[in-house]
Amino acid sequence: MAIADATLQYLVENKKCRTLFITHYPLLATKLGKKFPSDVQNLHMNYDAEEGIDGLHRITFLYKLVPGLATGNKVAFTKI
């Protein structure tokens, strides 16, 4: 995690990256947002999640960018 943290901070401070896609380290995303509040925002694509009567989870992506981190692991419910 230290390598990921150092890499992300380098990208924000030195390369002025406009987009960072973080999937596995939400704590790092939160830390970056607090350390660089004028440069980093945590956003996610909004979704509706529901469990069907068959017990399967259904995810509908709403194609709307909203503030904050996504909660839960929606990748586990994604059927390819």
Side-chain angles (χ1 to χ4, degrees):
M1 199 151 98
I3 293 172
D5 184 33
T7 301
L8 292 170
Q9 285 192 48
Y10 173 81
L11 291 172
V12 170
E13 289 181 298
N14 299 300
K15 296 298 181 180
K16 306 296 183 198
C17 277
R18 298 197 41 99
T19 303
L20 300 171
F21 187 77
I22 301 173
T23 59
H24 290 80
Y25 299 110
L27 293 175
L28 288 183
T30 302
K31 179 181 172 183
L32 279 174
K34 289 179 181 175
K35 186 169 184 175
F36 304 104
S38 61
D39 298 318
V40 175
Q41 295 181 58
N42 287 307
L43 306 164
H44 69 276
M45 292 302 277
N46 205 6
Y47 58 89
D48 281 330
E50 60 183 54
E51 185 175 341
I53 58 172
D54 56 4
L56 295 175
H57 290 89
R58 291 186 174 58
I59 304 295
T60 303
F61 291 99
L62 303 176
Y63 300 98
K64 181 179 179 184
L65 197 58
V66 295
L69 300 175
T71 58
N73 184 357
K74 302 309 174 216
V75 175
F77 302 133
T78 304
K79 185 175 182 181
I80 299 174

